[in-house]
Amino acid sequence: MSGKPEFCDGTCKDYQRVYELTAPTPTVKYPRTPGYRDTQDDSWYYRCDIKGAEKGLLAGKTVAIKDNVTVAGVPMMNGSKLLEGFVPDRDATVVTRILDAGGRILGKSVCEDLCFSGNSCTSSTGPVKNPHDPTRSAGGSSSGSGSLVARKVVDVAIGGDQGGSIRIPASWCGIVGLKPTYGLVPYTGIMPIEKTIDHAGPMARTVEDCAALLEVIAGYDDGNDPRQFPAVPHPPYSKLVNDGIKGKKIGILTEGFVDVEEDLARVVRQRALTLKEAGAEVSDVSLPIHMDGLAIWTPVAFEGTYQMMIKGNGHGYNWKGSYDLPLQEALAGSYNLRPFDCPLPVKIVMIFSEYMQRNYQNKFYGKAQNLVQHLTREYNRILKDYDVIVMPTLPAKVVKLPSKGHSVYETLKLELDMIRNTAPFNATGHPALSVNAGFSEGLPALPCGMMIVGRMFDDLTLLQVARAVEKTFEDK
């Protein structure tokens, strides 16, 4: 065909020029050493000691960073053999903001293998045990962050959440964990899973510390993260968290209690009703489509993950922002050479999604995203009448860690069967916070998480309601 060789020659020259140009990389502002591998505490992947600014909202606070978040010069594994030996060359935006605010980073906390499990048993470094009972799960995928905060090893931690991965360990470890409004906290420098459900957020023992960490990490990142809007509401959460909830309307979501363990449901409901003493109006509310939320999330999470995290080497295509090229290259090499090192849930996602896309193309992904819009509007509709809705974070109290005697089905059920209340809000992007509502009867006494869900970018009200929940314990 006439002109074809000349055209291809020109295109190749363009690619060659892009190869020769130097792409910008973020500046690493604070000195550090690589640290060391911690083999004594199952919740740490790598220990370091990075001191931030002398003054700031987090001055004196110690911080753990989930190991799917890049910290320059400190090894990052993302819980997986696939990334073993990878050392990032940049700090994630949330890391820089923490250090600018005076935080002191003590290391990288263990996370589940490629962050694809709600249990704490899949990390290549070994399981993370629950602080309340070592035979049970700490919850995932931010398992190490939840455990370290609960055991007072650090003051606060960063978690990530695509289906509940901040709120699950927060619930099972008995701490506070906030999945912020979609786009409130920049995801720049954090290993993506699926762009439309990726969230990062704070984990802490107290609501006040959670509010302070959110205040530090929230805000627009100058176009580096496509999940964000230029005008991101960002009030001073730490100053307003104690303003009370008098006159607030709280809806107890009926569908959020379906098939929930009886004692867990009772603890959460009773704690919600005590908020009347703080001046809130509390009543039941029903939204039947909540029961379909997990089903709507599933094609997005499965096929979207397959396209972005697997075939797209963690980043994919078709978005403007900051791409972590060393991380892409490390993943591409590992996927090609050792795909068998992917964890069981991810193998299931890969096989199932490849089948669906070969036979149905992107039909179900597209339809699910359309249904997400409807689901979002339905939650927005009841949130016009209520400031927040509440429900148990999870359908069950802390589960046992799986053993070698479990079948593949039983293991997968233990890893992914707890997200029916959490996952819908990853799809819609509403802020959702887990706070401890009390403990179960008998021994061991296990924490019971209450999830508080609110309007888009009204994370402050969630924090205020959670603070009111904390005060019911303090007053008692």
Side-chain angles (χ1 to χ4, degrees):
M1 183 183 295
S2 178
K4 184 176 180 181
E6 292 82 1
F7 175 79
C8 290
D9 182 59
T11 302
C12 289
K13 287 181 179 179
D14 291 339
Y15 270 75
Q16 178 63 28
R17 183 57 183 151
V18 169
Y19 176 77
E20 293 168 353
L21 291 169
T22 301
T25 55
T27 301
V28 178
K29 298 171 62 176
Y30 296 89
R32 78 285 305 269
T33 58
Y36 61 95
R37 172 81 176 90
D38 190 329
T39 58
Q40 301 302 312
D41 190 323
D42 62 20
S43 299
W44 285 117
Y45 168 52
Y46 231 80
R47 296 295 303 272
C48 61
D49 191 350
I50 309 174
K51 297 177 181 178
E54 292 185 4
K55 297 180 180 179
L57 194 56
L58 296 181
K61 297 292 185 182
T62 54
V63 188
I65 304 294
K66 184 178 180 179
D67 193 40
N68 69 334
V69 181
T70 57
V71 178
V74 180
M76 169 178 156
M77 192 179 183
N78 198 22
S80 179
K81 295 176 183 177
L82 294 168
L83 279 176
E84 193 166 16
F86 173 68
V87 180
D89 65 351
R90 67 198 66 200
D91 284 340
T93 299
V94 294
V95 170
T96 300
R97 290 179 177 180
I98 286 168
L99 294 171
D100 283 345
R104 181 180 177 185
I105 295 174
L106 297 187
K108 306 292 294 296
S109 57
V110 166
C111 63
E112 296 311 294
D113 199 329
L114 296 180
C115 295
F116 221 87
S117 172
N119 208 308
S120 62
C121 59
T122 66
S123 175
S124 294
T125 60
V128 177
K129 297 182 286 293
N130 189 282
H132 301 274
D133 180 352
T135 68
R136 298 177 186 266
S137 171
S141 63
S142 308
S143 43
S145 290
S147 172
L148 291 167
V149 169
R151 292 187 289 119
K152 301 183 180 181
V153 178
V154 294
D155 296 311
V156 296
I158 292 293
D161 196 313
Q162 283 79 18
S165 292
I166 288 173
R167 292 159 289 161
I168 297 167
S171 178
W172 282 350
C173 291
I175 63 170
V176 182
L178 170 63
K179 181 204 76 66
T181 301
Y182 180 76
L184 177 60
V185 174
Y187 208 79
T188 316
I190 305 175
M191 168 84 176
I193 290 182
E194 208 285 341
K195 186 175 64 177
T196 68
I197 59 174
D198 286 333
H199 299 72
M203 303 174 72
R205 280 187 301 282
T206 69
V207 176
E208 290 178 327
D209 279 351
C210 187
L213 183 53
L214 179 64
E215 185 173 334
V216 165
I217 63 177
Y220 188 56
D221 191 26
D222 298 326
N224 288 313
D225 181 6
R227 301 162 187 80
Q228 292 194 294
F229 306 101
V232 177
H234 185 198
Y237 302 106
S238 63
K239 294 180 180 178
L240 302 174
V241 68
N242 282 298
D243 280 2
I245 59 170
K246 186 175 182 179
K248 299 289 186 184
K249 293 186 176 181
I250 298 172
I252 300 176
L253 186 66
T254 301
E255 288 75 13
F257 287 77
V258 174
D259 294 328
V260 173
E261 289 181 353
E262 185 177 341
D263 57 341
L264 169 59
R266 183 170 59 252
V267 168
V268 171
R269 174 174 285 276
Q270 289 176 347
R271 187 62 57 183
L273 292 173
T274 63
L275 295 177
K276 292 180 180 180
E277 299 170 13
E281 300 177 29
V282 184
S283 60
D284 289 338
V285 62
S286 176
L287 188 68
I289 197 173
H290 176 75
M291 300 297 292
D292 291 317
L294 177 59
I296 293 169
W297 171 90
T298 298
V300 174
F302 272 51
E303 296 183 47
T305 296
Y306 184 51
Q307 289 296 326
M308 187 168 200
M309 188 176 79
I310 307 299
K311 296 181 77 172
N313 301 314
H315 290 76
Y317 299 83
N318 305 323
W319 56 272
K320 294 180 181 292
S322 178
Y323 287 68
D324 190 332
L325 301 183
L327 178 57
Q328 280 187 212
E329 292 176 7
L331 283 167
S334 293
Y335 286 146
N336 286 328
L337 293 173
R338 306 197 314 277
F340 45 82
D341 278 339
C342 287
L344 178 60
V346 172
K347 289 176 181 174
I348 297 294
V349 165
M350 293 165 68
I351 294 168
F352 191 88
S353 298
E354 180 66 23
Y355 173 84
M356 295 302 292
Q357 290 176 9
R358 285 188 185 187
N359 290 277
Y360 301 98
Q361 298 73 51
N362 59 345
K363 172 184 176 179
F364 284 94
Y365 181 89
K367 186 172 184 179
Q369 287 287 18
N370 290 343
L371 287 167
V372 166
Q373 300 304 307
H374 175 59
L375 182 65
T376 302
R377 287 190 289 268
E378 285 296 286
Y379 285 127
N380 288 344
R381 180 173 60 81
I382 63 170
L383 287 168
K384 289 180 181 178
D385 298 323
Y386 292 89
D387 294 285
V388 298
I389 53 176
V390 300
M391 66 202 82
T393 307
L394 305 173
K397 301 183 297 298
V398 191
V399 299
K400 293 278 189 177
L401 287 164
S403 67
K404 292 181 179 179
H406 284 94
S407 67
V408 170
Y409 171 76
E410 290 169 333
T411 301
L412 284 170
K413 191 174 176 67
L414 284 170
E415 291 178 10
L416 298 171
D417 197 40
M418 71 291 285
I419 60 174
R420 75 174 80 123
N421 276 348
T422 55
F425 303 105
N426 290 90
T428 66
H430 290 88
L433 178 151
S434 183
V435 64
N436 191 37
F439 290 85
S440 63
E441 298 177 359
L443 295 175
L446 300 172
C448 301
M450 172 196 289
M451 187 166 67
I452 307 165
V453 180
R455 299 166 185 149
M456 299 287 194
F457 293 104
D458 190 19
D459 301 60
L460 175 60
T461 296
L462 272 65
L463 291 163
Q464 290 171 338
V465 173
R467 181 71 185 112
V469 170
E470 273 187 342
K471 288 181 177 180
T472 63
F473 289 99
E474 295 170 4
D475 295 341
K476 184 177 179 181

